[in-house]
Amino acid sequence: MNSTDKLFYFFGLLIFAGLICVAFLTRSGILVLSHMGFRCDFHSMTGLYCPGCGGTRAVIALVTGHPVQSFFLHPFVPCTAGFFGLYILWNSLASLLSHIKKETKIPFWHFRSLYVFLGLAILFLQWLAKNILLIVGGYVYI
C-alpha cells in the first residue's frame, strides 16, 4: 500500500467508525436526525436544483437505514458510501492477510483518480436529470 492509499484507508476507517456510531445512536433513539433546514442559495436564486440538493437528506436516510430512499434523494451519496465501504473492507482484508501470512493473497485496491471522475459523472447526471424533470415535467423534488 502506498502513502496515498494509507491516507485514504486511515481516513476511511475514521469516517466509517463515525458513521457506525451515528447509525447506532440514531437507531437507539439517542440522536435524532431530521431535516437540517439548510437553504440552498442556488435554488433560491435560479429555481433550479444545485448538484448538492438532497445530499444532506440522502446522508440522513442512509445513516438511518433507508438506502433506497437515499438513492432517490441523491444517488451520489449511497454510491460513494458503497464504493468507499468496499474499498475499506477489501483493503482491511488484504492487510490482515498480509500480516498473517506475510504474503498478500489478495492485492490491495489502489486509489485511482478515475474514481473521482466517476463520482463527478454521477453527481452531474443526477443534477441534470433532476433539473430536466423540473423544467419539462414540473416535478418538484424538494
Side-chain angles (χ1 to χ4, degrees), residues 1-141:
M1 213 188 287
N2 62 35
S3 60
T4 304
D5 290 328
K6 286 181 182 178
L7 187 67
F8 272 96
Y9 181 72
F10 174 73
F11 282 111
L13 285 176
L14 287 178
I15 291 168
F16 189 68
L19 288 175
I20 296 272
C21 289
V22 168
F24 174 75
L25 292 172
T26 303
R27 286 283 188 189
S28 62
I30 297 171
L31 180 65
V32 178
L33 297 175
S34 62
H35 181 66
M36 300 295 189
F38 297 119
R39 185 174 59 90
C40 178
D41 291 331
F42 182 84
H43 182 69
S44 297
M45 289 189 290
T46 65
L48 299 174
Y49 301 119
C50 76
C53 276
T56 303
R57 286 171 290 186
V59 169
I60 291 170
L62 189 62
V63 168
T64 56
H66 304 286
V68 175
Q69 180 184 5
S70 176
F71 183 82
F72 283 111
L73 287 169
H74 203 292
F76 179 78
V77 171
C79 289
T80 301
F83 182 78
F84 207 64
L86 285 174
Y87 176 84
I88 295 299
L89 290 174
W90 183 273
N91 284 339
S92 294
L93 183 61
S95 180
L96 181 66
L97 288 178
S98 70
H99 282 61
I100 290 174
K101 296 191 176 196
K102 301 297 180 200
E103 60 183 63
T104 305
K105 296 281 185 188
I106 299 175
F108 285 99
W109 186 357
H110 298 286
F111 175 78
R112 307 231 189 306
S113 57
L114 172 67
Y115 306 149
V116 174
F117 292 115
L118 288 173
L120 289 173
I122 292 170
L123 194 65
F124 175 75
L125 290 174
Q126 67 85 28
W127 171 73
L128 191 63
K130 286 178 187 175
N131 283 311
I132 288 173
L133 288 172
L134 176 69
I135 294 167
V136 175
Y139 174 71
V140 178
Y141 168 71

